[in-house]
Amino acid sequence: MGGISEHTHNAEDPLAGLHIPRHVAVIMDGNGRWAEERGLPRLAGHVEGRKATRRVVEAALDFGLQALSVYAFSMENWRRPLDEVEGLMELMQTAMTEEMDDLRSNKVRVLVSGRRAELPKALNDVLEFAIQETAQNTRMTFNLLIDYGGRAEIVDAARRFAEEVQAGRAQPADLDEESFPGLLYAPDLPDPDLIIRPGGEKRISNFLLWEGAYAEYVFLDVLWPDFDREHLLEAIRDYSKRQRRFGALTEPE
Ligand code: FPP
């Protein structure tokens, strides 16, 4: 009545007054513990973690992020038991196959960062298809880090530059802090403003070492399978309160 909708109480914008990061990156941690706490195989935790990844992609779209990066499989993860590694490979393949329609209809561009040479061909084919099919999308970039290591990424970039020099296409002095990121896996993504690590550990674990140089870090105790949009919002609120000065005395414009 009187024009007041019964949804008025929902109309409050949870993002009001917040500083929204352009690029959020997440170290998805705690799947194994989530499963172990329930007496389930570790893979059950990864299956549940996949659902959390979907929730966070949806929230990132709603919040208007430009880019979301997720650490799905590190180079160190190859050392896990074979059945867990194989299970994760299948899970990533199934997830990307099943989510393609929704990624497409939501205008999400898929990128994959990592060495990838050791991945099963079936997974690489699905990833390649997703990259090609979504290359023109501009609403948000979903960057999957698979077979990824931060040091390896820097080494790969250095190797590529050395090859350019050897081929006579570049001079050593051409390399500087502005040009170097152009050699990394996702050269057109802005650096992450906010890096979130759930799962209770407070370390970087070889994640976006170059790109995260000026990121704000938020560590949360929640295990990844329990992570939802409220946790993303909590991290954005925390980020929003911090003053980013990039080493200077005042915040940049
Ligand atoms: C870390 O938890 C998580 C991983 C190594 C895998 C993350 C992968 C997914 C959530 C599936 C990805 C889905 C898509 C769409 C790519 P952990 O096993 O290290 O947990 P723990 O520290 O409790 O052992």
Side-chain angles (χ1 to χ4, degrees):
M1 290 293 172
I4 295 175
S5 120
E6 61 185 39
H7 296 294
T8 307
H9 61 281
N10 286 336
E12 200 140 315
D13 181 2
L15 303 177
L18 292 185
H19 201 154
I20 304 298
R22 284 191 304 174
H23 180 184
V24 173
V26 186
I27 301 175
M28 308 187 287
D29 195 18
N31 295 347
R33 275 166 287 161
W34 184 94
E36 279 155 23
E37 279 174 8
R38 288 162 178 76
L40 298 169
R42 292 177 57 83
L43 207 51
H46 297 311
V47 168
E48 206 60 28
R50 172 195 163 184
K51 298 179 192 163
T53 310
R54 191 191 153 94
R55 286 196 293 273
V56 170
V57 171
E58 286 172 5
L61 284 165
D62 289 347
F63 296 169
L65 303 188
Q66 269 179 39
L68 175 72
S69 291
V70 299
Y71 207 175
F73 192 87
S74 73
M75 289 175 68
E76 291 75 22
N77 288 153
W78 290 114
R79 293 190 217 122
R80 294 192 176 194
L82 187 62
D83 61 340
E84 186 176 350
V85 170
E86 285 179 350
L88 274 166
M89 296 295 151
E90 270 174 41
L91 179 63
M92 290 188 282
Q93 187 187 326
T94 314
M96 287 313 288
T97 306
E98 291 176 356
E99 305 295 353
M100 260 317 282
D101 284 348
D102 286 346
L103 291 167
R104 230 188 317 236
S105 62
N106 282 289
K107 301 276 177 285
V108 175
R109 177 178 68 138
V110 175
L111 286 186
V112 180
S113 295
R115 278 208 176 144
R116 290 179 52 192
E118 309 294 319
L119 297 179
K121 182 173 184 315
L123 173 59
N124 259 330
D125 288 349
V126 166
L127 296 174
E128 213 45 53
F129 180 74
I131 294 167
Q132 302 301 334
E133 281 286 302
T134 63
Q136 307 304 322
N137 293 345
T138 53
R139 183 169 166 205
M140 185 177 84
T141 300
F142 180 44
N143 180 32
L144 281 157
L145 286 85
I146 302 181
D147 195 16
Y148 175 86
R151 288 183 173 177
E153 181 180 25
I154 293 170
V155 167
D156 287 351
R159 274 192 199 154
R160 281 177 58 197
F161 186 71
E163 284 162 11
E164 291 295 297
V165 172
Q166 196 173 40
R169 291 190 293 264
Q171 298 291 320
D174 294 339
L175 194 61
D176 57 24
E177 282 106 310
E178 275 72 50
S179 62
F180 189 75
L183 298 156
L184 297 173
Y185 294 141
D188 66 343
L189 278 193
D191 283 343
D193 307 292
L194 167 61
I195 296 181
I196 305 171
R197 181 169 194 152
E201 310 287 356
K202 293 193 175 62
R203 49 176 180 260
I204 299 175
S205 301
N206 206 12
F207 184 61
L208 297 177
L209 295 182
W210 176 280
E211 300 87 335
Y214 289 102
E216 296 290 338
Y217 285 85
V218 172
F219 298 95
L220 297 173
D221 277 330
V222 59
L223 302 176
W224 182 247
D226 293 324
F227 198 101
D228 63 20
R229 75 163 50 214
E230 279 308 309
H231 297 103
L232 179 60
L233 192 56
E234 180 185 337
I236 292 176
R237 279 200 205 98
D238 193 345
Y239 164 83
S240 212
K241 280 190 282 197
R242 302 186 194 176
Q243 260 209 334
R244 302 180 73 207
R245 296 196 304 241
F246 300 92
L249 292 179
T250 54
E251 258 189 287
E253 287 303 306

